[in-house]
Amino acid sequence: MGVVWGASFLFMKVALDGVSFGQVAWSRLVFGGLTLGLIVLATRPRLNNGPVLPREGVVWLHFLVIALTGCVVPHLLFAWAEQYVSSSLASIYNAVTPIMTAVMVTAVFRVEKLARDQVIGVLIGIMGVVVIIAPWQYSELTGDLWGQLACLGAALCYGFTFGYTRKHLSGRPIAGTTFAFLNIGLAGVVMLVLTPVLAWQPVTLTMPIVLSLLTLGVLGTGFAYIWHINVLRAWGPTTTSTVTYVTPVVGVLLGVLVLAETFSWHEPAGAVLVLLGILLTQKRLRLPLAVPRTAS
């Protein structure tokens, strides 16, 4: 998942040379939904001899919510942002997802509690985001700044979706493949409805652009979501969001090696703070306990 989603930032950047940001997001979700639909049709997965697709209307409503907050909105935001920021920087912002997830599952959905070190990790992660944005270098609202804020908004959407899924859907008897199909498939339907607005512009297609769009859809938004749902249900939202340890490493390496992207000092410095915050939030790193003073 980390390798596939890390590479997706490169593919989005390549695709934007010939299609609009809306067409990038449209292609991801429509191709991904078709891929998962074919898999469900061929395998007809069931849990405990239940139906292939859920029958309760409220379940479909929950899936529509996560289709919007976990797919439609963040995919549009990232694709729009990459018109103004590098693919490397976008992948770094994606790493903020565990910080956003920790806040959402604790403060909004109340399905997990944060210990002292996790709270400190969230605060350090927020400091890292501020360093990456480097507000001291902006005297006005620029495309680059808006692009960074869009990336941050996408990470917030992912955090919300992790928490919402844990609270309303993770415990339901739905096969992982079906789960992924309903998530991406409904997002694809939304995109089809929005076709006149998002995808009705002229395109310039080359082989790299076509391959990038197909890879984004079939692999990055198709098969990868089956893996994602299975891990989410096995490990929970906070641990699953640690996939973002890998995505920025892959995204930065590909951006630098393939697209010759460069950094300012504050971007890797902020990324280090974000990683430190993630390690604390995920309980991979622990701060020493305060030693009480003894009377002399």
Side-chain angles (χ1 to χ4, degrees), residues 43-68:
T43 61
R44 302 191 65 79
R46 302 173 186 269
L47 283 184
N48 302 324
N49 295 319
V52 175
L53 298 177
R55 294 170 180 170
E56 304 95 329
V58 67
V59 175
W60 287 83
L61 182 60
H62 287 319
F63 272 109
L64 179 60
V65 171
I66 66 171
L68 293 171

Side-chain angles (χ1 to χ4, degrees), residues 225-243:
Y225 267 79
I226 297 177
W227 311 332
H228 165 70
I229 293 301
N230 288 334
V231 175
L232 176 63
R233 300 177 86 172
W235 286 359
T238 301
T239 307
T240 302
S241 64
T242 58
V243 67

Side-chain angles (χ1 to χ4, degrees), residues 59 62-63 66 164-172 179:
V59 175
H62 287 319
F63 272 109
I66 66 171
Y164 190 95
T165 301
R166 170 68 179 274
K167 185 175 181 68
H168 296 290
L169 289 169
S170 290
R172 295 183 181 273
F179 204 108

Side-chain angles (χ1 to χ4, degrees), residues 99-100 102-103 114-131 270 273-274 276-278 280-281:
I99 305 296
M100 297 297 190
V103 172
L114 296 185
R116 181 205 63 166
D117 286 2
Q118 292 176 294
V119 174
I120 295 173
V122 169
L123 296 176
I124 292 176
I126 293 172
M127 289 173 53
V129 170
V130 173
V131 172
L273 288 175
V274 168
L276 176 60
I278 293 172
L280 289 168
T281 304

